[in-house]
Amino acid sequence: MKRYLPAKWVVACLLMIFIWVTGCAKHNMSVLDPQGPVGKVQLNLLYLSTGIMTFVVIVVAVIYIYVVVRYRERPGDEEKDPPEQVAGSKKLEILWTSVPILLLIVLAIPTISTTFTLNKKPDPDHSIRINVIGYQYWWGFEYPDYKVTTSNEVHIPTGKKVEFILKAHDVIHSFWVPSLGGKEDLTPGRTTRLVLQADKPGIYEGKCTELCGASHALMRFRVVAHQPEDFEDWIASQVTPDSTPKNKQAEQGRRLFAQNCIGCHAIRGAGYKVLGRTAPELTAFSERTRIAGVLDNNRANLKSWLKNPQGIKPGNRMPAFDHLTDQQVEAMVEYLETLK
Amino acid sequence: MRIEEQTASVAGLPAEPEKATLEGKNKILGFWFFLAAETTLFATMIGTYLALKGETMNGPTPYELFKMPMVAFATLILLTSSLTSVLGIMGMHANQLKKLLQWFGITILLGAVFLGLEVYEFMEYAHEGHTFTSSAFGSSFYLLLGTHGGHVLFGVLWILGLMIQGRKKGITVHTAPKFYVASLYWHFVDVVWIFIFTVVYLMGMIP
Amino acid sequence: MATLIVIIVFALFLGAILTGGYNREYLERMQKSWIWQWITTVDHKRIGILYLLAGGFFFGVAGLEALLIRIQLMFPDNQLLTGDFYNQVLTMHGTTMIFLVALPLLFGLMNVIVPLQIGARDVAFPFLNSLGFWLYFAGGLLLNLSWLFGGAPDSGWTNYATLALNDYSPGPGINYYVLGLQIAGIGTLISGINFLVTIVNMRAPGMSYLRMPLFTWTTFVASILILFAFPPLTAGLFMMMFDRLFDTKFFAISGGGNVTIWQHIFWIFGHPEVYIIMVPAFGIFSDVISTFSKKRLFGYNSMVFATVLIGFLGFMVWVHHMFTVGLGPIANTIFAIATMAIAVPTGIKIFNWLFTMWGGRIRFTTSMLFAAGFIVTFVMGGVTGVMLAVVPANLQVHDTYFVVAHFHYVLIGGTIQGFFAGLYFWWPKMFGTLLNERLGKAHFWLFYLGHHLTFFPQHFLGLFGMPRRIFTYMKGYELEMSNLLSSIGAILMTAGVLALLYNIMLTLRKGEPAGSDPWDGRSLEWAISSPPPVYNFAQIPRVRGLDPWWLEKYEGDGTLKAAEPLGPIHMPSPNHLPFLMAMSFFISGLGFVFHSWQVGFLGLIGVAIILFVRSFEEDHGYHIQPDEWNGVES
């Protein structure tokens, strides 16, 4: 009897795990809690396939448990003749060939139709376009219709299809917002597209899902969905950003930025003649929720980022600005954290 | 196997000496499998060439580049060498070592001429700025042609080695499979060339 | 200067070995030592054991790498392995497991068992068999040398361009990957051809194709897959190598290159590759299940057909690894349907196994436990496979931990458990002793429960938004618990493997003698003594039906019928050239890794010289005379 114990234990253990991990997700990062029509359609297919497959698993499990319990060798069996050597059964074999085919047809039809629907180009009048450019460990976003650029946080209106036009600058990346819908690769030398839509305002976590180098794990981004009118406000604030220094310290920061950062980073509306494009754009930086996609945006974190970017995001292109004095760093932080 | 070999040398060779022993049969079958693998290798390279041949990066296009008369001549030479290798194997089946060596000699001579022409052709192309590193077209072209040329070179050296062996040992049930397999290889290299000629050169003539 | 010294030393070394010149006495002494005998062996049983040793070694290495990965991911924001070093560990874990562990371990069993199952004295090409092993070993060693000199490859086992090009992976790591796999790949191709010819030409009289045991059949199918899948990899690796070493433009965007070509080539190889390591495990399970159920395999013909069909379809589905590349809905749906189609022959197999057990008398030895456990694991891995074929759902879970869970379910549940089942099953045949069953069961339960604990939660990690190949994750996204459980599972699996190691050590020291047929076996290998004599069969047997040994035991007089009279047995002589050739390849590869063309070409010249030496060699083997074994065999 003792030999049966492990099997029960497994079941109990698996059940516990199941309950634990399916406990509801409160963050917008789960495939199981979609926030847009694309994610919902995909989840429904996931459920359909899970349902069909659960049926298969149950059929197999019933036969399996029966066989393993019923036909195990018992003491005294050794003396008996060996069991009958059955060659096979045409009927049974036809049965377990044809039933799976039927099940797969049930699964294949919605697969095909959904694949084609999701690939449809949205109506340009009722959608917006955003260019996404993947760089090693950060994301650049351009709004071609509004002449606005930003990075690592992309703002979209709710209830409207958004067509992301995907390009890679260096290596292959992959654009994934789990709670809005499935991903698409950004491939150097090619342009791909992905249509997503958010139903409710909120912040949705995004990830790079193709190994792209040392900080692949930290190549995160956020999708911020607004009500359409709030989105228009946001766009307006981006077209005319408030980049003037508010005080003397910030003015020093503005100058230090020009000396140290402008070759790679850009701040629009601050009177710089050059706009660096090889690192994330920092216009309206204080409105970002994250620094470099990984740290919460506050002054302490920004200071530690400036001093040791490699320690926080290994392999990124930003050098450590440890030659700056604490006072200078303060000034730079003051300037950046007042950009709106 | 020893016994078979002795009887063979006394009473003459069996009709198909390459298949007289299990080892010979294994060798030939194994070689057929090897050629199947080689086919996939070349298929991959041809596919890559087709995908990349448009990427000339402002260098010469296939249409501007290829020297058709010379390539056609080289093709003729390689096809002829296939014929001579068949004649060599016929010599082997007739148990005439001299005929075998003569025809195989002509085969590798033709192979060497083909190689010479190919090297000359590549040098011409390099002059016109079409090199291994000039563009994706160049890379895929030289990979495909170079792999084929390398096969021809290997074949020439291999058959040369076999001819030396043939002179020393004669035609036996041990050497016959080697000659036979080498001629199979030579035909294969030839067939690959026909594909290359069609896909790379003839289709390259469409502007 | 350094290169010159290397060249001179190497030339002297090669010259000395080839001529046997410098000290005859020493050479003779060396030739008598056991190490020389193992290096020069052409006996398929010994080469099989070499494969098991080397595969086991790399299994340890790659297993440690897996453990490191799980320790890093045990807690959020862990700092043990970060950034590029983590990428090196995950790349080497995958590459080693696929190329240097899964296939060689199976090759080990194939080498020992397949000739015995078809009633042959040896494989078709004993020399090439040895060459295949040594090339694999040289390639594996070269790849793992990267840990010591210059850093390991870091672009994942899929090695996608452009990340794998010089601009983004400047160290020698990817060079090791390209050259190591190239060398090991040649070895694999050679072994595949060897198995094919062995099975086609060396079967005993009466052993028709439809009487071959399933393990032989699956070896045959896997070898065909090797034949057609490895050459594309060879071509792809050449392109990658030329791009890195000679600045060609296959994948370089600036020169008009195309990175998607690498993805296509890699998966045209890669998908058949995972079947190459799955299908032989199906064969092992078929033999194990029918033996321990004391029943003939249910639906033998459809099992064979399903195997062939799976192999064939394996070439038609590579794009399902690329659904997110953006190849368009037409390509995606065609490949999705082809992928779903594979579920049908796989289902046939599952039900045939279940009905083999149905009505049988099942003995749950360790081997059978692994086989029975496999059915559960594999069904779960299989259904997630079908779910992944559903393109829109795939877009969500592609490249997440859901996929990680899926392929570990099939690869560990299939290949690794298949290997364990085969090891416990055939160990007595290989070594004449039985592995300890108590320890074996401990091994099974630890490994099996550990496996499910490790990989079941990973399905949910994927659904909760955790991409694969990331070295860290943030607190507060519901990922902590599953990751912790997963890491604990990995520790259990390690404990299971340690139990196996202890078991092997114990058994090698004082194992229980097994006798020739400890499991009441069905196929020919159980008719000869354990371990088998060097010539396997004193007389080549005549096969009278499916499961020939069972047939003779239960319907005949319990002895094999001979197909030939007693006579001298021809054996191939041992040869040291395969080892030398692999060494030359190794040196050549090492040269190219470090852009040292002289050393690289010198190695290749060494290969050419050895080829010619081999071609001129008169190797007629030797004969074992009847009186030499008359006393031994009764």
Side-chain angles (χ1 to χ4, degrees):
Chain A
M1 219 37 232
K2 218 178 168 189
R3 307 235 306 258
Y4 289 86
L5 208 68
K8 272 185 197 162
W9 197 80
V10 186
V11 175
C13 189
L14 291 182
L15 254 175
M16 257 170 56
I17 299 166
F18 184 79
I19 293 163
W20 202 296
V21 291
T22 46
C24 94
K26 283 163 235 71
H27 306 274
N28 287 322
M29 204 177 85
S30 173
V31 171
L32 301 176
D33 184 22
Q35 302 293 320
V38 178
K40 278 176 188 153
V41 170
Q42 290 170 336
L43 183 64
N44 287 342
L45 269 176
L46 206 58
Y47 281 149
L48 174 69
S49 56
T50 312
I52 294 174
M53 289 303 133
T54 310
F55 169 72
V56 174
V57 170
I58 289 172
V59 170
V60 173
V62 167
I63 302 174
Y64 180 82
I65 292 168
Y66 177 75
V67 165
V68 167
V69 174
R70 168 76 180 73
Y71 296 108
R72 109 191 344 260
E73 188 177 63
R74 289 176 173 76
D77 278 357
E78 289 90 349
E79 281 100 68
K80 292 185 201 152
D81 283 338
E84 195 193 340
Q85 303 291 306
V86 187
S89 154
K90 277 248 162 57
K91 267 188 217 153
L92 280 174
E93 286 174 46
I94 289 170
L95 181 74
W96 63 59
T97 311
S98 47
V99 172
I101 291 178
L102 288 178
L103 291 179
L104 289 175
I105 290 173
V106 172
L107 191 58
I109 290 169
T111 300
I112 297 169
S113 65
T114 317
T115 306
F116 277 90
T117 331
L118 290 181
N119 261 278
K120 256 193 214 135
K121 260 193 113 160
D123 175 7
D125 295 336
H126 296 94
S127 63
I128 70 161
R129 272 149 305 286
I130 299 173
N131 293 333
V132 181
I133 300 137
Y135 298 83
Q136 265 181 328
Y137 326 134
W138 64 278
W139 302 83
F141 298 105
E142 298 169 3
Y143 296 73
D145 304 340
Y146 303 99
K147 307 261 180 290
V148 163
T149 50
T150 181
S151 67
N152 285 342
E153 268 168 37
V154 59
H155 294 247
I156 60 169
T158 54
K160 214 174 190 184
K161 286 207 164 85
V162 183
E163 186 182 12
F164 293 99
I165 297 158
L166 312 166
K167 289 175 191 154
H169 176 259
D170 34 38
V171 302
I172 303 177
H173 303 279
S174 193
F175 182 88
W176 188 33
V177 190
S179 42
L180 296 186
K183 62 186 73 65
E184 188 84 15
D185 290 356
L186 296 77
T187 310
R190 286 180 59 207
T191 303
T192 47
R193 37 193 92 236
L194 178 68
V195 181
L196 294 177
Q197 180 182 331
D199 287 339
K200 279 181 285 184
I203 293 178
Y204 305 105
E205 303 291 337
K207 310 264 171 165
C208 174
T209 42
E210 184 63 68
L211 180 64
C212 61
S215 275
H216 162 59
L218 302 174
M219 191 171 160
R220 300 170 187 149
F221 65 99
R222 281 184 151 175
V223 179
V224 185
H226 304 278
Q227 300 283 9
E229 51 273 23
D230 295 344
F231 176 73
E232 293 301 328
D233 291 349
W234 180 80
I235 284 285
S237 78
Q238 291 293 307
V239 174
T240 52
D242 177 11
S243 306
T244 46
K246 308 285 179 303
N247 54 41
K248 240 179 120 187
Q249 197 187 13
E251 174 54 37
Q252 185 198 1
R254 198 191 84 90
R255 269 184 280 115
L256 280 166
F257 193 89
Q259 288 155 13
N260 290 292
C261 318
I262 201 72
C264 306
H265 293 279
I267 297 175
R268 285 181 287 113
Y272 294 128
K273 292 197 181 66
V274 202
L275 289 176
R277 286 288 174 221
T278 54
E281 161 150 355
L282 299 175
T283 311
F285 181 78
S286 72
E287 318 240 296
R288 302 268 172 86
T289 58
R290 292 259 175 82
I291 300 167
V294 284
L295 297 173
D296 282 334
N297 190 359
N298 58 44
R299 284 165 186 252
N301 279 343
L302 185 57
K303 264 183 237 167
S304 49
W305 168 259
L306 285 172
K307 286 200 172 137
N308 185 15
Q310 292 301 325
I312 292 163
K313 214 169 173 180
N316 84 79
R317 303 274 148 116
M318 178 152 159
F321 284 87
D322 39 14
H323 60 276
L324 297 179
T325 64
D326 281 354
Q327 190 273 330
Q328 287 172 315
V329 172
E330 286 284 348
M332 196 112 88
V333 169
E334 169 67 22
Y335 177 55
L336 287 171
E337 293 294 4
T338 51
L339 293 173
K340 280 185 177 151
Chain B
M1 233 152 289
R2 270 272 156 81
I3 304 151
E4 271 176 89
E5 191 192 332
Q6 280 155 7
T7 49
S9 60
V10 178
L13 280 175
E16 284 184 321
E18 71 276 9
K19 291 175 190 151
T21 63
L22 179 62
E23 275 167 31
K25 276 187 220 152
N26 283 348
K27 217 170 245 178
I28 291 167
L29 181 67
F31 205 79
W32 274 108
F33 282 127
F34 172 71
L35 293 183
E38 289 262 84
T39 310
T40 5
L41 182 81
F42 278 106
T44 312
M45 289 181 180
I46 289 176
T48 309
Y49 172 79
L50 287 178
L52 293 177
K53 70 173 177 177
E55 308 294 336
T56 56
M57 302 312 279
N58 301 323
T61 62
Y63 182 68
E64 294 159 7
L65 198 65
F66 294 153
K67 311 249 178 299
M68 273 316 265
M70 200 176 80
V71 176
F73 181 60
T75 307
L76 194 71
I77 284 177
L78 202 63
L79 287 181
T80 317
S81 77
S82 220
L83 179 72
T84 55
S85 80
V86 172
L87 292 170
I89 291 299
M90 281 167 72
M92 182 185 89
H93 282 157
N95 201 4
Q96 293 169 323
L97 181 66
K98 216 177 141 193
K99 202 171 151 195
L100 167 72
L101 292 182
Q102 262 170 13
W103 284 117
F104 267 27
I106 294 172
T107 304
I108 58 172
L109 210 66
L110 290 171
V113 173
F114 173 85
L115 273 179
L117 284 174
E118 192 163 50
V119 168
Y120 173 74
E121 183 198 349
F122 287 178
M123 278 160 65
E124 288 284 296
Y125 293 166
H127 263 292
E128 293 177 42
H130 175 64
T131 67
F132 200 23
T133 56
S134 63
S135 65
F137 163 54
S139 299
S140 57
F141 174 84
Y142 285 105
L143 178 70
L144 175 58
L145 276 277
T147 307
H148 177 266
H151 275 72
V152 176
L153 178 67
F154 182 81
V156 167
L157 293 176
W158 181 17
I159 295 176
L160 196 69
L162 287 184
M163 283 170 64
I164 299 170
Q165 257 189 71
R167 280 179 80 93
K168 272 165 76 176
K169 299 178 193 166
I171 303 170
T172 69
V173 288
H174 289 293
T175 54
K178 297 185 185 185
F179 293 126
Y180 187 81
V181 158
S183 94
L184 272 185
Y185 175 83
W186 197 258
H187 289 313
F188 171 76
V189 170
D190 221 23
V191 170
V192 170
W193 180 256
I194 292 171
F195 274 94
I196 291 177
F197 184 67
T198 314
V199 172
V200 176
Y201 290 100
L202 289 183
M203 280 166 65
M205 282 302 103
I206 306 162
Chain C
M1 192 59 203
T3 1
L4 199 71
I5 293 171
V6 172
I7 290 174
I8 292 169
V9 169
F10 176 65
L12 284 175
F13 193 49
L14 199 73
I17 290 175
L18 284 175
T19 56
Y22 52 95
N23 190 340
R24 265 187 197 283
E25 208 176 303
Y26 175 72
L27 214 67
E28 270 163 27
R29 212 155 22 137
M30 192 172 79
Q31 279 171 358
K32 283 195 196 97
S33 74
W34 63 271
I35 198 158
W36 179 262
Q37 284 178 3
W38 278 90
I39 283 175
T40 60
T41 186
V42 289
D43 178 2
H44 70 96
K45 297 175 286 295
R46 285 192 155 194
I47 292 174
I49 290 167
L50 285 175
Y51 266 117
L52 294 185
L53 279 173
F57 167 72
F58 288 125
F59 185 53
V61 174
L64 275 179
E65 284 154 7
L67 208 56
L68 284 176
I69 291 175
R70 277 324 316 169
I71 292 173
Q72 162 65 17
L73 293 177
M74 203 161 183
F75 304 107
D77 298 318
N78 206 353
Q79 294 293 324
L80 177 71
L81 306 175
T82 57
D84 195 52
F85 189 59
Y86 180 86
N87 290 352
Q88 294 181 17
V89 173
L90 79 85
T91 303
M92 286 300 284
H93 165 69
T95 314
T96 310
M97 281 291 188
I98 295 276
F99 290 96
L100 308 181
V101 176
L103 195 53
L105 287 180
L106 293 170
F107 269 4
L109 293 178
M110 289 175 188
N111 246 308
V112 179
I113 299 304
V114 167
L116 302 181
Q117 284 195 332
I118 59 174
R121 292 227 166 89
D122 207 326
V123 290
F125 306 112
F127 179 91
L128 289 184
N129 201 15
S130 160
L131 180 62
F133 169 75
W134 288 112
L135 283 178
Y136 143 69
F137 191 64
L141 217 56
L142 182 62
L143 184 60
N144 275 280
L145 222 57
S146 61
W147 282 122
L148 304 178
F149 306 108
D154 56 0
S155 303
W157 85 283
T158 50
N159 203 49
Y160 279 1
T162 51
L163 183 61
L165 298 183
N166 284 333
D167 289 349
Y168 306 104
S169 289
I174 311 290
N175 297 350
Y176 280 111
Y177 174 95
V178 169
L179 285 148
L181 292 191
Q182 194 70 284
I183 294 170
I186 300 169
T188 306
L189 184 65
I190 289 174
S191 305
I193 292 176
N194 186 18
F195 285 125
L196 281 174
V197 178
T198 305
I199 293 171
V200 173
N201 271 0
M202 310 280 283
R203 281 167 294 132
M207 177 57 83
S208 62
Y209 282 105
L210 285 180
R211 284 177 182 174
M212 295 194 311
L214 248 282
F215 183 53
T216 302
W217 251 113
T218 50
T219 301
F220 186 67
V221 172
S223 301
I224 292 179
L225 295 186
I226 288 175
L227 194 66
F228 291 110
F230 269 77
L233 177 72
T234 307
L237 288 175
F238 268 132
M239 295 174 203
M240 185 62 85
M241 179 176 106
F242 289 142
D243 264 15
R244 286 186 60 89
L245 297 183
F246 304 117
D247 196 30
T248 55
K249 303 293 188 300
F250 292 102
F251 311 119
I253 305 300
S254 60
N258 184 332
V259 297
T260 314
I261 289 180
W262 168 265
Q263 293 178 300
H264 279 296
I265 292 177
F266 186 85
W267 288 114
I268 285 173
F269 150 77
H271 198 82
E273 162 71 13
V274 299
Y275 286 9
I276 290 167
I277 58 183
M278 259 330 292
V279 163
F282 292 159
I284 296 173
F285 291 125
S286 301
D287 288 2
V288 166
I289 288 174
S290 86
T291 301
F292 289 113
S293 305
K294 278 190 183 295
K295 266 188 71 199
R296 170 191 165 138
L297 191 66
F298 194 88
Y300 172 89
N301 287 0
S302 64
M303 279 300 238
V304 170
F305 174 71
T307 310
V308 175
L309 195 63
I310 289 173
F312 178 75
L313 287 173
F315 282 98
M316 311 284 165
V317 296
W318 80 88
V319 168
H320 72 213
H321 300 270
M322 299 167 64
F323 281 157
T324 63
V325 169
L327 300 173
I330 297 173
N332 282 358
T333 47
I334 290 174
F335 281 90
I337 289 164
T339 306
M340 290 181 190
I342 291 183
V344 176
T346 316
I348 292 175
K349 281 183 161 290
I350 297 278
F351 284 107
N352 275 328
W353 284 320
L354 288 175
F355 277 78
T356 304
M357 297 199 280
W358 187 291
R361 222 158 63 202
I362 309 168
R363 282 166 295 163
F364 281 102
T365 59
T366 307
S367 180
M368 184 62 187
L369 275 178
F370 273 111
F374 151 80
I375 293 181
V376 178
T377 316
F378 189 71
V379 166
M380 288 170 71
V383 298
T384 50
V386 177
M387 290 163 71
L388 283 168
V390 179
V391 183
N394 175 292
L395 297 183
Q396 274 287 27
V397 290
H398 174 79
D399 264 348
T400 68
Y401 261 79
F402 189 88
V403 174
V404 176
H406 159 70
F407 67 73
H408 281 96
Y409 259 82
V410 284
L411 289 180
I412 294 184
T415 309
I416 298 298
Q417 279 187 204
F419 167 72
F420 286 150
L423 187 70
Y424 283 91
F425 188 53
W426 283 308
W427 179 277
K429 189 45 63 187
M430 287 189 269
F431 299 100
T433 51
L434 287 162
L435 282 169
N436 183 310
E437 279 290 308
R438 276 176 71 92
L439 274 171
K441 280 174 185 158
H443 168 207
F444 168 76
W445 285 112
L446 282 169
F447 191 83
Y448 191 71
L449 295 180
H451 165 76
H452 282 279
L453 188 57
T454 310
F455 295 106
F456 190 76
Q458 291 189 358
H459 292 111
F460 293 96
L461 284 177
L463 294 173
F464 286 178
M466 181 162 163
R468 68 191 276 207
R469 293 166 165 173
I470 60 173
F471 69 82
T472 189
Y473 52 93
M474 275 191 290
K475 253 181 268 192
Y477 287 86
E478 317 290 327
L479 303 177
E480 294 97 324
M481 194 62 205
S482 304
N483 269 308
L484 182 63
L485 288 173
S486 186
S487 297
I488 295 172
I491 293 165
L492 283 184
M493 287 171 80
T494 314
V497 174
L498 289 178
L500 171 68
L501 272 182
Y502 181 60
N503 196 349
I504 288 174
M505 268 160 39
L506 212 67
T507 310
L508 285 180
R509 210 170 325 135
K510 50 173 180 52
E512 189 190 329
S516 64
D517 187 10
W519 313 120
D520 196 6
R522 310 178 70 85
S523 41
L524 288 177
E525 73 265 32
W526 304 110
I528 53 175
S529 63
S530 312
V534 64
Y535 45 80
N536 297 350
F537 296 91
Q539 292 165 288
I540 295 290
R542 187 152 48 82
V543 174
R544 304 197 297 166
L546 185 68
D547 293 337
W549 178 232
W550 177 272
L551 207 68
E552 300 297 352
K553 279 191 293 188
Y554 287 89
E555 282 162 40
D557 58 2
T559 54
L560 277 188
K561 305 293 165 285
E564 58 171 16
L566 281 171
I569 296 168
H570 176 246
M571 300 300 298
S573 355
N575 202 316
H576 59 288
L577 291 180
F579 180 73
L580 280 186
M581 195 151 162
M583 227 162 67
S584 303
F585 264 116
F586 178 82
I587 289 165
S588 170
L590 205 59
F592 283 120
V593 165
F594 290 105
H595 298 244
S596 167
W597 315 138
Q598 297 94 321
V599 176
F601 282 109
L602 205 78
L604 289 181
I605 290 169
V607 171
I609 292 172
I610 294 164
L611 273 178
F612 267 72
V613 170
R614 169 63 184 166
S615 182
F616 279 82
E617 201 172 54
E618 290 276 352
D619 177 20
H620 295 306
Y622 63 98
H623 286 77
I624 297 180
Q625 296 302 325
D627 54 302
E628 284 180 44
W629 42 263
N630 234 357
V632 187
E633 287 282 83
S634 53

